[in-house]
Amino acid sequence: MLFTADHDEPRRILQKFIAAEINPFVDEWEKADIFPAHALFKKLGDLGFLGLNKPVEFGGQGLDYSYALMMAEELGAITCGGVPMAIGVQTDMATPALARFGSDDVRREFLAPAIAGDMVACIGVSEPGAGSDVASIKTHARSDGDDYVINGGKMWITNGTQADWICLLANTSDDQVHRNKSLICVPMKSKGVQIARKLDKLGMRSSDTAQIYFDNVRVPKRNRIGEEGKGFTYQMVQFQEERLWGAAACLKAHEFIINETIEYTRNRKAFGQSILDNQTVHFKLAEMQTEVELLRALIYRAAEALVAGEDVTRLATMAKLKAGRLGRELTDACLQFWGGMGFMNETPVSRAYRDSRLTSIGGGADEVMLTVLCKMMGTLPGAKK
């Protein structure tokens, strides 16, 4: 069993926190196109939620991955996608490789304050010419004595305008593309780090997203995570937690939209009956609820395997793919049942429609997930059997 009675209390505390400290302010943050990351993360850090499965010696709780997954699922109850995504970047995207492979010194400097909520983190992988194709990144870190000198740029960086440090993937040699990359912790106040612009997005409005340039940014080599040249491998390992997190965060968000749609269509009358009384509506909502439960079962199975120390690449990839596809289908169907009101920004279904679209892109597009699965199935043309 993935969850036990030990999960009940932290789950209750997180639910209470979301209801009191996040949801009442979401509409305000959505209009402002940003939320106060430092203030919110500090509150979460004080409650211990930014390091549930991180090492105790650096301020974490030292719990297994099931607690991180529980948190991801509960964050889906936040009434927007941007804030939970930003929290997930801190807990499951920018810090897993650091926690797993970083030296004690670099973990003290960057991981401990991220767990405490004293620093906001971001992850720098994607570039304008290299999104899902991670191997093609161009940002490079040239060796200069005990330092790296970094030049290049990163795109679509969540938390980018507020972050204190970035977990940066950069080329550190001219070796093969899967062996020439390293992950480096770069303070955002370093000379030469430029936040070029805050990006204007379709959805995830309350999350600040930036384009960032690095112009001869000098950082000590001791800021590197693990071994030089292992960055691509570390990032691929880190992606599995990111993809599972992204899928789990969809569950309660999907259920919220189903329930909101039930309520709206039950009260909305047309042609002498409620919209919900139409078979095409209540049948479709039942189908969507079934799909959410199927996704939950897949995610839980993957999480149980991860806790057991198994390779979850296949299951996490499937979960990420299914979550993205379901989010598109579910929100589109529900928006249709809202009719003209579904097209209004003031309704929760329109926000969900915009926000959920990113799940099929971020952390690896659907097509990349399918390619990974085909490689594992031995059906990808040209791939080794």
Side-chain angles (χ1 to χ4, degrees), residues 264 331 334-351 353-354:
Y264 180 78
T331 57
C334 287
L335 189 149
Q336 185 70 20
F337 298 152
W338 284 66
M341 285 305 298
F343 205 63
M344 300 295 102
N345 280 335
E346 66 195 71
T347 57
V349 71
S350 68
R351 182 182 295 169
Y353 181 84
R354 297 190 305 272

Side-chain angles (χ1 to χ4, degrees), residues 257-266 285 334 337-338 349:
I257 292 304
I258 290 172
N259 291 330
E260 288 289 300
T261 302
I262 290 171
E263 185 66 19
Y264 180 78
T265 56
R266 175 177 282 128
L285 292 172
C334 287
F337 298 152
W338 284 66
V349 71

Side-chain angles (χ1 to χ4, degrees), residues 281-341:
V281 176
H282 55 253
F283 271 20
K284 186 64 174 181
L285 292 172
E287 180 183 352
M288 292 295 95
Q289 185 64 62
T290 302
E291 291 291 329
V292 173
E293 285 303 324
L294 289 169
L295 176 59
R296 179 177 276 114
L298 175 58
I299 292 168
Y300 284 11
R301 181 184 170 194
E304 287 172 351
L306 185 61
V307 171
E310 299 175 22
D311 182 355
V312 299
T313 300
R314 177 174 168 271
L315 293 176
T317 301
M318 288 178 169
K320 165 71 165 60
L321 174 67
K322 181 61 178 177
R325 294 285 176 89
L326 179 58
R328 292 155 70 179
E329 180 185 2
L330 187 152
T331 57
D332 183 73
C334 287
L335 189 149
Q336 185 70 20
F337 298 152
W338 284 66
M341 285 305 298

Side-chain angles (χ1 to χ4, degrees), residues 128-193:
S132 293
D133 184 8
V134 175
S136 296
I137 66 166
K138 302 302 181 186
T139 297
H140 59 89
R142 176 177 54 83
S143 177
D144 185 19
D146 292 331
D147 295 338
Y148 287 121
V149 178
I150 303 168
N151 283 279
K154 294 296 178 178
M155 188 69 166
W156 307 297
I157 306 305
T158 300
N159 298 340
T161 71
Q162 300 187 77
D164 297 290
W165 63 274
I166 184 169
C167 178
L168 182 75
L169 186 68
N171 298 317
T172 47
S173 76
D174 296 323
D175 204 342
Q176 297 177 3
V177 293
H178 298 114
R179 300 178 181 176
N180 72 336
K181 295 169 175 55
S182 301
L183 284 172
I184 306 166
C185 296
V186 180
M188 291 292 285
K189 290 183 179 179
S190 300
K191 183 180 179 181
V193 176

